[in-house]
Short mmCIF file of all heavy atoms in Angstrom, two decimals:
data_model
loop_
_atom_site.label_atom_id
_atom_site.label_comp_id
_atom_site.label_asym_id
_atom_site.label_seq_id
_atom_site.Cartn_x
_atom_site.Cartn_y
_atom_site.Cartn_z
N LEU A 30 -28.95 -45.74 -232.69
CA LEU A 30 -27.51 -46.38 -233.12
C LEU A 30 -27.05 -45.77 -234.30
O LEU A 30 -27.66 -45.47 -235.23
CB LEU A 30 -27.82 -47.86 -233.31
CG LEU A 30 -28.36 -48.72 -232.06
CD1 LEU A 30 -28.58 -50.12 -232.47
CD2 LEU A 30 -27.27 -48.74 -230.91
N PRO A 31 -25.69 -45.59 -234.34
CA PRO A 31 -25.12 -45.04 -235.66
C PRO A 31 -25.30 -46.03 -236.79
O PRO A 31 -25.20 -47.30 -236.55
CB PRO A 31 -23.69 -44.95 -235.27
CG PRO A 31 -23.42 -45.97 -234.20
CD PRO A 31 -24.74 -45.93 -233.38
N ASP A 32 -25.53 -45.51 -237.99
CA ASP A 32 -25.67 -46.29 -239.25
C ASP A 32 -26.72 -47.27 -239.18
O ASP A 32 -26.57 -48.44 -239.79
CB ASP A 32 -24.29 -46.98 -239.44
CG ASP A 32 -23.01 -46.05 -239.61
OD1 ASP A 32 -23.15 -44.98 -240.11
OD2 ASP A 32 -21.92 -46.45 -238.89
N ALA A 33 -27.83 -47.07 -238.44
CA ALA A 33 -28.93 -47.86 -238.43
C ALA A 33 -30.28 -47.18 -238.19
O ALA A 33 -30.19 -45.99 -237.69
CB ALA A 33 -28.72 -48.93 -237.24
N ALA A 34 -31.31 -47.71 -238.60
CA ALA A 34 -32.63 -47.28 -238.23
C ALA A 34 -33.46 -48.39 -237.67
O ALA A 34 -33.93 -49.25 -238.66
CB ALA A 34 -33.28 -46.59 -239.46
N ILE A 35 -33.70 -48.40 -236.40
CA ILE A 35 -34.37 -49.59 -235.91
C ILE A 35 -35.46 -49.16 -234.88
O ILE A 35 -35.30 -48.36 -234.09
CB ILE A 35 -33.26 -50.43 -235.10
CG1 ILE A 35 -32.25 -50.89 -236.00
CG2 ILE A 35 -33.97 -51.72 -234.22
CD1 ILE A 35 -31.07 -51.68 -235.33
N ILE A 36 -36.53 -49.77 -235.02
CA ILE A 36 -37.79 -49.57 -234.17
C ILE A 36 -38.32 -50.77 -233.60
O ILE A 36 -38.47 -51.79 -234.42
CB ILE A 36 -38.90 -48.91 -235.00
CG1 ILE A 36 -38.48 -47.52 -235.70
CG2 ILE A 36 -40.08 -48.50 -234.05
CD1 ILE A 36 -39.41 -46.82 -236.59
N TYR A 37 -38.51 -50.93 -232.38
CA TYR A 37 -39.05 -52.12 -231.71
C TYR A 37 -40.39 -51.87 -231.10
O TYR A 37 -40.56 -50.81 -230.31
CB TYR A 37 -38.02 -52.46 -230.62
CG TYR A 37 -38.37 -53.65 -229.89
CD1 TYR A 37 -38.64 -55.01 -230.62
CD2 TYR A 37 -38.57 -53.67 -228.42
CE1 TYR A 37 -38.89 -56.10 -229.81
CE2 TYR A 37 -38.88 -54.85 -227.83
CZ TYR A 37 -39.06 -56.08 -228.46
OH TYR A 37 -39.45 -57.17 -227.73
N TYR A 38 -41.32 -52.69 -231.30
CA TYR A 38 -42.58 -52.75 -230.71
C TYR A 38 -42.72 -53.87 -229.85
O TYR A 38 -42.92 -55.03 -230.22
CB TYR A 38 -43.76 -52.85 -231.83
CG TYR A 38 -43.78 -51.69 -232.82
CD1 TYR A 38 -43.02 -51.72 -233.95
CD2 TYR A 38 -44.68 -50.60 -232.71
CE1 TYR A 38 -42.91 -50.53 -234.85
CE2 TYR A 38 -44.73 -49.51 -233.56
CZ TYR A 38 -43.81 -49.68 -234.68
OH TYR A 38 -43.87 -48.54 -235.67
N PRO A 39 -42.82 -53.75 -228.45
CA PRO A 39 -42.64 -54.91 -227.63
C PRO A 39 -43.93 -55.74 -227.68
O PRO A 39 -43.83 -56.95 -227.58
CB PRO A 39 -42.40 -54.24 -226.27
CG PRO A 39 -41.93 -53.00 -226.45
CD PRO A 39 -42.48 -52.49 -227.78
N ASN A 40 -45.02 -55.14 -227.82
CA ASN A 40 -46.25 -55.91 -227.79
C ASN A 40 -47.14 -55.52 -228.95
O ASN A 40 -48.34 -55.04 -228.90
CB ASN A 40 -47.10 -55.49 -226.51
CG ASN A 40 -46.39 -55.84 -225.25
OD1 ASN A 40 -46.26 -56.99 -224.99
ND2 ASN A 40 -46.09 -54.83 -224.51
N PHE A 41 -46.64 -55.85 -230.15
CA PHE A 41 -47.18 -55.61 -231.37
C PHE A 41 -48.55 -56.49 -231.45
O PHE A 41 -49.63 -55.83 -231.98
CB PHE A 41 -46.28 -55.92 -232.56
CG PHE A 41 -46.75 -55.55 -233.92
CD1 PHE A 41 -46.96 -54.09 -234.21
CD2 PHE A 41 -47.25 -56.42 -234.78
CE1 PHE A 41 -47.43 -53.86 -235.45
CE2 PHE A 41 -47.70 -56.08 -236.14
CZ PHE A 41 -47.87 -54.72 -236.40
N PHE A 42 -48.45 -57.72 -231.18
CA PHE A 42 -49.58 -58.65 -230.97
C PHE A 42 -49.80 -58.84 -229.51
O PHE A 42 -48.84 -59.10 -228.71
CB PHE A 42 -49.42 -59.88 -231.62
CG PHE A 42 -49.42 -59.78 -233.04
CD1 PHE A 42 -48.10 -59.64 -233.78
CD2 PHE A 42 -50.58 -59.87 -233.84
CE1 PHE A 42 -48.19 -59.60 -235.16
CE2 PHE A 42 -50.54 -59.89 -235.23
CZ PHE A 42 -49.33 -59.65 -235.88
N GLN A 43 -51.11 -58.65 -229.05
CA GLN A 43 -51.47 -58.99 -227.55
C GLN A 43 -51.23 -60.44 -227.33
O GLN A 43 -51.27 -61.35 -228.21
CB GLN A 43 -52.95 -58.73 -227.40
CG GLN A 43 -53.40 -57.22 -227.56
CD GLN A 43 -54.84 -56.94 -227.33
OE1 GLN A 43 -55.63 -57.82 -227.49
NE2 GLN A 43 -55.14 -55.77 -226.92
#
Side-chain angles (χ1 to χ4, degrees):
L30 298 172
D32 306 318
I35 300 175
I36 305 174
Y37 179 59
Y38 297 84
N40 299 296
F41 188 71
F42 289 94
Q43 294 180 341

